[in-house]
Amino acid sequence: MSKTLFQRICDKEIPAAIVYEDEHIVAFRDIKPMAPTHVLIIPRKPIATLEDATPDDHAVLGHLLIKASAIAKQLSLVEGGYRLVLNNGRDAGQEVPHLHFHLLAGRKLAWPPG
Ligand code: 5GP
């Protein structure tokens, strides 16, 4: 199976501004930021959507959330607040079939989202 775009970023085949990485996840700046801070946080494992996650993925899914908070602290986003978004499937606008959280911050974010 060919690699997803995000696997190629994890493997450093495509350059990206990485803000955090460990053996399970990578976080890097979105190429088309929708807010002053826009970071994508992904598992190294190419899980396409939440429905493709298995019980084996419990730990990595939890790790993504725990590290999202750590990354928000690292980038000094906690005081102003931030939003985590997971676009899952076509109607949600998921373009890259590799699970990812968008971490958005640095401006007042509208609700409900469009
Ligand atoms: P989705 O629409 O799937 O939720 O989000 C995919 C995100 O990946 C988009 O915000 C898009 O700007 C970002 N993206 C697409 N290609 C690249 C790339 O090559 N590098 C980086 N850093 N971000 C990308």
Side-chain angles (χ1 to χ4, degrees), residues 16-75:
I18 292 175
V19 298
Y20 176 81
E21 63 182 321
D22 63 29
E23 63 179 311
H24 301 296
I25 71 168
V26 180
F28 53 94
R29 296 197 187 267
D30 196 292
I31 205 165
K32 265 172 58 182
M34 296 294 167
T37 298
H38 187 171
V39 169
L40 300 172
I41 311 173
I42 71 170
R44 288 188 185 275
K45 181 178 174 184
I47 303 165
T49 70
L50 277 180
E51 288 64 48
D52 296 297
T54 72
D56 286 347
D57 300 319
H58 264 120
V60 74
L61 294 181
H63 190 65
L64 283 165
L65 285 175
I66 297 289
K67 287 299 172 183
S69 167
I71 292 163
K73 283 181 197 137
Q74 176 191 322
L75 299 178

Side-chain angles (χ1 to χ4, degrees), residues 5-6 9 14 16 28-32 38 40 87 93-96 100 102:
L5 170 68
F6 288 173
I9 287 177
I14 294 177
F28 53 94
R29 296 197 187 267
D30 196 292
I31 205 165
K32 265 172 58 182
H38 187 171
L40 300 172
N87 294 326
Q94 182 178 7
E95 288 173 2
V96 180
H100 50 281
H102 297 255

